[in-house]
Amino acid sequence: MARRSRAARDRQTQIPGAPASPWIKRTLPFFGMLDEEALQKLEAQVDWLLQDIGIAFRDDPEALRIWKQAGATLDGDIIRADAQWIRALCAEAPSEFTQLARNPARSVTIGGNNQVFAPIYGAPFVRDLEGGRRYGDMDSFEKLVKLTYMHPNLHHGGFVICEPCDEPVSKRHFDMLFAHMTLSDKPHLGAITEMSRAQDSIDMAEIVFGRDVMDNNCVIMGNVNTNSPLLVDKVVTEAIRTYSARGQGIIVVPFILSGAMGPVSTAASVAQAMAEAMMVCAFTQIVRPGAPFVLGNFLSSMSLKSGAPTFGMPEPVISNYAIGQLARRAGLPLRCGGSLTASKIEDAQAAYESADSMHSTMLAGANYVLHSAGWLEGGLCTGFEKLIMDADRLGSYQKVLSQGLDTSDEAFARDAYGEVAPGGHFLGSGHTMRNYQTAFYEPALSDSENVESWEDGGSKDMRHRAYDRWNEILSQYEAPPMDPALKEELSAYVAKRKEEIPDAWY
Amino acid sequence: MARRSRAARDRQTQIPGAPASPWIKRTLPFFGMLDEEALQKLEAQVDWLLQDIGIAFRDDPEALRIWKQAGATLDGDIIRADAQWIRALCAEAPSEFTQLARNPARSVTIGGNNQVFAPIYGAPFVRDLEGGRRYGDMDSFEKLVKLTYMHPNLHHGGFVICEPCDEPVSKRHFDMLFAHMTLSDKPHLGAITEMSRAQDSIDMAEIVFGRDVMDNNCVIMGNVNTNSPLLVDKVVTEAIRTYSARGQGIIVVPFILSGAMGPVSTAASVAQAMAEAMMVCAFTQIVRPGAPFVLGNFLSSMSLKSGAPTFGMPEPVISNYAIGQLARRAGLPLRCGGSLTASKIEDAQAAYESADSMHSTMLAGANYVLHSAGWLEGGLCTGFEKLIMDADRLGSYQKVLSQGLDTSDEAFARDAYGEVAPGGHFLGSGHTMRNYQTAFYEPALSDSENVESWEDGGSKDMRHRAYDRWNEILSQYEAPPMDPALKEELSAYVAKRKEEIPDAWY
């Protein structure tokens, strides 16, 4: 195992051509942070919120009609429901399901012991080392879709990797969908900001997959936020009446800044998030029994210095572990966590916070992890370097989760001890020769050279190496194959719909 | 909960005058990564190494005499011992013990559910933003001792926070001990590089604590490495014949770079570390039954690109979780992990790697964590900024470990739901008013301002904020009180011993 040649080292950092594992099949046990008593207390609070406090469904009369028809009692627009009934409805949602990708090798399974990583969602700004911080635009969006497609540690495309602010709000969803569908063949989400945009997403997915496949499979999902505390607005219910009604997936995420949208307590905020998401889950199952649902949780703490949200702190770390246990007991797939930070740039703060956030996300067993790469500034900014840095670390989590500790006979290497004397070394032992090439996760962006070699190479910090790397990846990008007729059909749909809709910038 | 005034914010970042919690009493459960079958396989491998392969004790005839007298069978200098006997000897070591500090409020308990954080140990170089990278010296050493003393999240002073390379090797231990004993009142380690230096450490500790206290308490410990694989040299046995013989603590740490000092396999390396440390533990208990012992593990992976050790990677993360379970089953206090990185500077790589390394160290339940702050370059360099950055993050781990999830009635905040309507906010609720000041961990170095405020403040990254902070902390340093006669006695001991010993620079 002598030091390898420069050529061998260069090969090592080439962009992998073959797709990586399409998602993570976890073998690692979950971290059972809470005992039965604590879990029951949390569940009692969830039930109390469902039954005694209730959750308002606002601005969508059709949603109230659906609830009433199902037998719910309404107090104005507030639903207070028997917790057993809500839990029974939630039990109709699948505990795991597969979202098809247009390339079947990229389809992912969400729920159970499966974990899927997707990039940041919804940032209006982008940042890279050359261009600095600026509004997101379609050019950046397409680059980010390509990078996500190319990176082996991202399993899912997400959707709004940045906001393409140079397109009208009323039309940008067409270009975002078209980019995901043509520049990548990984699974992705669709639009939710308005019911017609949700419908466009469904319609375009139907062009890609065909009606028969779509009738029987999840091929697209929408990600929506409740309006915490305890309020569900029409963005959510209309998305459900579009996605769930068509048998497609919906991810419902209470975003709770403890002390603002929930009590200034992690236990209360976690229970509130469960109650809100379960009430909405029940609604999806009334709309369409068996429709794929993902229970979301996004909890942040607050800085006493600035009143601003903070990330990677002990309270959200603890909330990840707690919600993981609660979601598994409810039998629902979970979205939580991500590589979250309040830092403005790709400095040590960004990395410390992202790593603690993501390590707990990983161990908690989050099944679908939006924001697993690229997040800066509390989600306001997508960093090109951050995306590549986070994604490199995701490879480490993937190995921890999928392999855990190998305790096979080969892993115990007893033959090697016959070859090596006390104080000797295992570098040339048969066991090392058989195993060294696959023994360790090989990060692309961590520099382990000595200081002299590192200085000879220009003393580049991780940001600068990440800048080089994403440019290298982009330069090697080739679009995945696609039937030209299908691409034409998508293109024609986009052109026709864009003509029907006026430009609107807000 | 309006935004707080500048004055209030400044108070928030003041150096805490009161001592923080002297160590962490963990309430969080441990992460049980391995099932009973895997644990038994690992323990069978440990027993096989103890019984069939054996461990050599070299260069110290007295050690072999002690083993023989205790009934061991020797094959040259190799001890192969009945595993039950070794385990029975290990069972005589305390599963937890207290190390006294000269300020009783700083004494720490090591083992069981207790966790103690100490800074980096052994780096020949130091680095800070102003002075760059350079050899460590006594001036840096004293500053680092002061910073460790001042920081509320470091419970223990460690020992060689950097190598004071401007002092002769034969004499620098006097100055390091004198600095720890006079500039700080936190507990610390002593010298081990030579038997006479270990004895000097014991003798100086006896001046501080007095013979009676020292006869009945652990007041100092030595940290030694086995010479992996399967070799224990005289540095270890002589340290034990000095520290353990006097009833003081010893930490024995196999350092295994998998593929070099152990097989290229995490399971084999973990078992080997256990076997080496347990054999040495047994030796300590022969020397003095009941002497405090800490089982160490320091496992790293290797870069295929450079052949160099890597840190914060999946293999050492997994090894932390595994060794935590094994050490608890053996009933021995554990040292493992730390804030480890191969990065040369305080960039995102340093933080990602340190956080993943430390998150797993925390959850694994390591009782004594050397290298929990300040480590750069695979341990070759102590970073002043890195020390302060890591220590800031340790406060987050401290909260996770000591508090977990509060599920008291107050934490469920039911009264607050009577005050807040759906879609409203909890900012002014009675529950928030009662709890917001203690609800969240308040980091000193994470910036959560918006990008405009951050830019107005000079766009400082975490490194630059850390530079400001350690200078601020140092400027507020005041030595803890000490009886002048005691200080004089220590001073006289150092002067006398320095005269007796010739300068030696290697």
Side-chain angles (χ1 to χ4, degrees), chain B residues 130-335:
Chain B
E130 192 184 352
R133 184 179 188 271
R134 59 198 185 272
Y135 275 106
D137 57 21
M138 210 49 219
D139 179 59
S140 292
F141 185 90
E142 291 186 350
K143 284 180 178 156
L144 291 164
V145 170
K146 290 176 183 175
L147 288 171
T148 300
Y149 163 66
M150 292 286 280
H151 208 292
N153 300 338
L154 292 166
H155 313 111
H156 193 283
F159 186 52
V160 189
I161 312 187
C162 73
E163 282 284 353
C165 300
D166 54 343
E167 297 281 325
V169 169
S170 56
K171 297 184 177 175
R172 62 177 66 151
H173 65 291
F174 294 116
D175 300 289
M176 291 193 282
L177 285 161
F178 189 77
H180 277 288
M181 289 170 170
T182 59
L183 301 177
S184 173
D185 61 6
K186 288 185 176 175
H188 59 86
L189 307 176
I192 50 85
T193 45
E194 225 214 18
M195 199 165 183
S196 70
R197 295 172 200 153
Q199 190 60 52
D200 285 324
S201 307
I202 294 287
D203 292 345
M204 286 177 73
E206 189 166 311
I207 292 172
V208 172
F209 289 91
R211 173 163 294 195
D212 284 354
V213 171
M214 200 155 170
D215 279 347
N216 296 294
N217 294 280
C218 173
V219 302
I220 195 165
M221 301 196 291
N223 180 84
V224 287
N225 292 121
T226 58
N227 201 337
S228 302
L230 305 173
L231 178 61
V232 178
D233 63 21
K234 73 174 180 178
V235 171
V236 175
T237 50
E238 289 182 350
I240 290 169
R241 295 197 288 110
T242 313
Y243 283 87
S244 307
R246 187 75 172 85
Q248 302 304 303
I250 201 92
I251 308 165
V252 174
V253 190
F255 164 44
I256 300 179
L257 171 55
S258 292
M261 297 86 109
V264 71
S265 145
T266 302
S269 296
V270 164
Q272 182 187 313
M274 278 298 288
E276 292 179 10
M278 287 177 70
M279 190 71 99
V280 180
C281 179
F283 181 76
T284 65
Q285 300 306 305
I286 294 170
V287 169
R288 173 141 170 177
F293 178 88
V294 178
L295 182 143
N297 178 47
F298 194 95
L299 188 138
S300 96
S301 47
M302 192 190 290
S303 167
L304 284 180
K305 287 186 219 170
S306 64
T310 54
F311 299 94
M313 293 299 152
E315 301 81 21
V317 161
I318 286 289
S319 81
N320 283 337
Y321 291 129
I323 199 87
Q325 290 183 272
L326 291 170
R328 280 190 292 285
R329 282 163 74 99
L332 291 170
L334 172 67
R335 178 201 143 189

Side-chain angles (χ1 to χ4, degrees), chain B residues 472-505:
Chain B
E472 182 194 0
I473 294 176
L474 268 192
S475 75
Q476 301 189 19
Y477 172 80
E478 288 178 30
M482 187 174 214
D483 177 354
L486 172 57
K487 191 169 176 182
E488 183 48 46
E489 196 179 349
L490 282 173
S491 218
Y493 179 93
V494 168
K496 172 174 156 285
R497 288 285 294 138
K498 277 189 171 181
E499 277 199 18
E500 294 168 6
I501 298 172
D503 283 2
W505 287 92

Side-chain angles (χ1 to χ4, degrees), chain A residues 99-117:
Chain A
Q99 181 185 353
L100 298 186
R102 75 171 171 93
N103 175 352
R106 310 279 198 182
S107 298
V108 296
T109 296
I110 295 171
N113 290 326
N114 306 289
Q115 297 189 249
V116 171
F117 296 153

